[in-house]
Amino acid sequence: MIFDWFITALAVTGPTYLWLLSGVVARRLDWVDDQLVMWASQFSFRLGMPLVLFYGASRVDYSTLLQARYLLAGVTATLLVAVLASFWARLRGFERGEAGQFVQGSFRSNLGIVGIALCANAYGDDGLALAALPVAVMTILYNIIAVIVLERSHGGSRGVAGILRGVLGNPLIIGIALGILVSVLGLELPTLVQRGVSYSSSLILPMALVTIGASLSLKVLRESGRITIDTLYWRHLISPLTGVGIGIAWGVFGAEMGVLFLLLSSPIANASFVMVVAVGGNGGLAANLIVLSTLVSGVTTTLGFALLNALGLV
């Protein structure tokens, strides 16, 4: 029975992490270079993933927004983890700049690519539709919290206008916003467009995952330290458990619980590296956290989903 639960969970998480691993292998064999990785990353971020998220967002019924308890659970968990992680960083005596990276790594998951891929693999197009709303809201929330935390920890001065420009200019958010508009206006996408986007998502998601794998540098694994262990603990244990706990308390079960868990248990977002470097932070530490988090999440997400399946929560 336990083996069956594990195999079921592995069927959900396995393909996603195999694509990530294939990217690592391709880079090690010199099948891809920096230029190709950069192009593929930009394509995924600026066109591919926004298209996938647009399609998912266009299929959501937003009249039930306030009743989307799994979304509210995700938002609440994110805010709670960010606050508690800030207190933990102070309690542990982390250096100010490192504290900002720890807090960001604790709450910020790669829900826009890895999370979406996991949800699509678990529930198909229905998973994309369910994930679109929390990805939209939580991507905005992630950016706002990250800017505030990193600017404070690195002595920056980016104001409200800068935060708004960063959020409104995010291609993922633009794609989601257009999908929401289509849904709210009651527009019906032509069948050709629906089939085309649905088919494209089966190509775009693997490419995005391979790109992430190819961009990881395993050399940073030697730089692991106290803050790294703490960040991984919070990202892959505290954050998912908080979301699941809140979800259970609010009556979230089935596919919605599955989507909530898969989004919150995803590895640290690659965008965290860009934001750390932008404020003059420790880019090596940021890369180290992303690499380790990506490796660890393959195990923790699989085991976590298996446990939720065994408990009848997903």
Side-chain angles (χ1 to χ4, degrees):
M1 183 67 73
I2 295 176
F3 181 74
D4 291 338
W5 291 330
F6 179 77
I7 293 299
T8 299
L10 193 61
V12 171
T13 61
T16 297
Y17 289 99
L18 282 176
W19 281 117
L20 287 168
L21 179 61
S22 69
V24 174
V25 173
R27 187 58 180 269
R28 295 283 291 179
L29 295 176
D30 290 327
W31 291 351
V32 296
D33 55 18
D34 289 338
Q35 186 175 1
L36 180 57
V37 170
M38 180 62 68
W39 176 86
S41 298
Q42 290 296 317
F43 176 83
S44 297
F45 180 69
R46 298 186 181 281
L47 180 61
M49 291 309 302
L51 186 63
V52 171
L53 293 173
F54 162 77
Y55 177 62
S58 69
R59 301 176 65 240
V60 176
D61 180 7
Y62 296 98
S63 63
T64 61
L65 178 63
L66 296 180
Q67 286 74 49
R69 288 173 293 182
Y70 73 110
L71 165 63
L72 299 179
V75 169
T76 303
T78 297
L79 293 171
L80 185 59
V81 167
V83 171
L84 293 178
S86 298
F87 283 112
W88 182 258
R90 189 173 303 176
L91 182 65
R92 293 279 279 165
F94 290 148
E95 184 272 326
R96 192 177 180 188
E98 290 183 342
Q101 294 196 50
F102 162 72
V103 174
Q104 179 181 218
S106 296
F107 74 80
R108 188 170 196 169
S109 70
N110 195 337
L111 48 79
I113 297 179
V114 178
I116 279 287
L118 288 169
C119 293
N121 197 53
Y123 303 108
D125 284 347
D126 290 337
L128 286 175
L130 277 174
L133 189 55
V135 167
V137 175
M138 291 169 64
T139 297
I140 295 173
L141 185 62
Y142 281 178
N143 278 278
I144 293 174
I145 299 176
V147 168
I148 294 172
V149 168
L150 291 176
E151 292 292 350
R152 287 185 60 189
S153 64
H154 290 84
S157 59
R158 189 175 184 183
V160 176
I163 295 175
L164 287 175
R165 282 196 298 271
V167 171
L168 297 178
N170 188 308
L172 303 181
I173 295 176
I174 292 173
I176 293 167
L178 291 176
I180 292 174
L181 184 63
V182 168
S183 176
V184 170
L185 294 179
L187 302 177
E188 185 72 25
L189 293 175
T191 302
L192 180 62
V193 173
Q194 293 186 40
R195 290 180 178 176
V197 175
S198 180
Y199 174 74
S200 297
S201 67
S202 64
L203 300 176
I204 292 170
L205 286 172
M207 186 182 74
L209 294 169
V210 169
T211 300
I212 292 176
S215 65
L216 298 180
S217 174
L218 299 182
K219 291 185 297 183
V220 300
L221 294 178
R222 295 191 297 269
E223 302 171 7
S224 176
R226 181 180 62 148
I227 189 172
T228 303
I229 300 302
D230 279 30
T231 305
L232 294 176
Y233 179 80
W234 278 75
R235 169 90 298 276
H236 297 295
L237 184 62
I238 301 298
S239 182
L241 278 178
T242 301
V244 169
I246 293 174
I248 292 174
W250 290 354
V252 177
F253 300 103
E256 291 185 348
M257 174 61 81
V259 166
L260 173 64
F261 171 76
L262 292 173
L263 292 179
L264 291 180
S265 64
S266 297
I268 297 173
N270 286 30
S272 64
F273 172 82
V274 177
M275 297 194 70
V276 166
V277 173
V279 296
N282 186 340
L285 174 60
N288 183 38
L289 291 174
I290 292 171
V291 172
L292 282 169
S293 178
T294 302
L295 295 175
V296 169
S297 67
V299 176
T300 57
T301 302
T302 301
L303 293 178
F305 198 83
L307 179 60
L308 292 178
N309 186 43
L311 295 174
L313 297 176
V314 298

